[in-house]
Amino acid sequence: GRVTSLALLLLIAIALVTGLVHSAALTDRIGPFTTMQVHIGSALAALVLVVVHARARPVPVRTTDLDRRAFLGTAALGVAGLASWAAWEGVLALVESPGAGRRFTGSHERGSFDPSAMPVTSWLDDAVPRIDAGGWSLDVAGGLLTYEELRALPHDDVTAILDCTSGWYSEQRWRGVRLDRVLQTEARSVAIRSVTGYGRRFPARDLNRIWLVTEVGGAPLSAGHGFPARLVAPGRRGFWWVKWVAAIEPSDVPAWLQLPFPAT
């Protein structure tokens, strides 16, 4: 009804405004939440209301919805959107806003080559665990690898950008073991699991492009950044970079058979 429509308009307005605020780097937080959390939360809530509204007031597709006039109207709306985006980007560049230098993903630079200034984030409900290296071991296809044994494996220096879905990116020098040196497998995929239960599945053919790192910036990882070991997966968004790795498990389940974003 009317209340639902007004709520939907309000949520859309909040999503648009917070998106502009984030892109211009005007503020990182709105009350207890980050600007990006408010932006994503309002957009998801708006999507829920759209579904509710569509179910309550279904509108059948008509022939006129697919005619030339409708197509031209949709195309004009798309062009107007692109023009608005270009104008906004031009304004940011003109006023030399920090937002003008953000990455193509929309993320802002935070703490590059300074691990102490790199934000500490976890996926949804994951808390930062405190792990004793002496009591930690890595399960690799059923066999255990201690922290000392992991550190004794051949390590590479890798400069890679961690681009987080919370709206920031950070370029760091990492040091770790390439995964194909930790596990050789003919399986279709490899599941990486954290001590928190969080995990992602990777194609086995990608193991030579992913590292299990123990250091960043020339020092051991901090607890917040994944001590004793975390993934570095160049070219993938931050939620693929599993922290506090506990297990590496080959699997015949294809890598694509998982949620595009983790549920927890």
Side-chain angles (χ1 to χ4, degrees):
R2 181 178 177 82
V3 174
T4 301
S5 298
L6 290 175
L8 179 58
L9 288 174
L10 177 61
L11 288 170
I12 292 174
I14 292 173
L16 287 172
V17 170
T18 52
L20 294 174
V21 168
H22 170 77
S23 65
L26 296 178
T27 181
D28 286 334
R29 305 195 69 83
I30 299 175
F33 304 103
T34 67
T35 307
M36 185 57 68
Q37 285 173 333
V38 176
H39 173 67
I40 294 174
S42 57
L44 290 176
L47 182 60
V48 170
L49 285 186
V50 167
V51 173
V52 170
H53 182 74
R55 289 177 63 88
R57 296 173 178 271
V59 178
V61 177
R62 300 166 300 180
T63 305
T64 53
D65 294 332
L66 304 175
D67 63 10
R68 182 172 179 271
R69 182 177 180 181
F71 172 78
L72 291 175
T74 302
L77 186 62
V79 170
L82 287 173
S84 298
W85 170 77
W88 178 250
E89 293 298 318
V91 169
L92 294 182
L94 184 65
V95 301
E96 298 182 347
S97 165
R102 68 190 188 281
R103 203 162 183 247
F104 70 93
T105 58
S107 296
H108 298 280
E109 189 276 329
R110 297 286 185 271
S112 288
F113 302 109
D114 181 6
S116 64
M118 181 170 58
V120 172
T121 58
S122 300
W123 189 259
L124 299 181
D125 57 353
D126 271 359
V128 176
R130 302 292 171 175
I131 301 172
D132 174 39
W136 174 87
S137 60
L138 176 65
D139 183 341
V140 181
L144 296 181
L145 198 64
T146 67
Y147 183 65
E148 291 75 16
E149 289 170 335
L150 176 61
R151 291 294 299 264
L153 293 176
H155 277 47
D156 298 323
D157 292 316
V158 182
T159 299
I161 294 175
L162 171 55
D163 194 330
C164 184
T165 50
S166 59
W168 59 269
Y169 77 90
S170 189
E171 187 172 10
Q172 303 290 344
R173 294 185 181 92
W174 310 86
R175 184 167 176 78
V177 184
R178 214 171 61 198
L179 277 188
D180 64 339
R181 295 171 179 161
V182 177
L183 174 67
Q184 295 287 334
T185 180
E186 298 297 325
R188 299 180 69 180
S189 67
V190 173
I192 311 295
R193 180 170 51 82
S194 169
V195 299
T196 65
Y198 179 91
R200 296 301 288 165
R201 189 182 304 278
F202 296 82
R205 64 178 179 273
D206 289 351
L207 294 187
N208 64 346
R209 298 192 294 273
I210 303 170
W211 282 261
L212 184 65
V213 306
T214 57
E215 297 181 16
V216 60
L221 296 167
S222 66
H225 291 311
F227 181 84
R230 71 170 298 163
L231 288 193
V232 163
R236 294 178 182 265
R237 296 304 295 271
F239 65 86
W240 290 91
W241 296 38
V242 181
K243 295 194 284 191
W244 315 297
V245 175
I248 302 174
E249 303 164 351
S251 173
D252 288 328
V253 177
W256 56 263
L257 194 59
Q258 62 184 326
L259 293 173
F261 292 94
T264 182

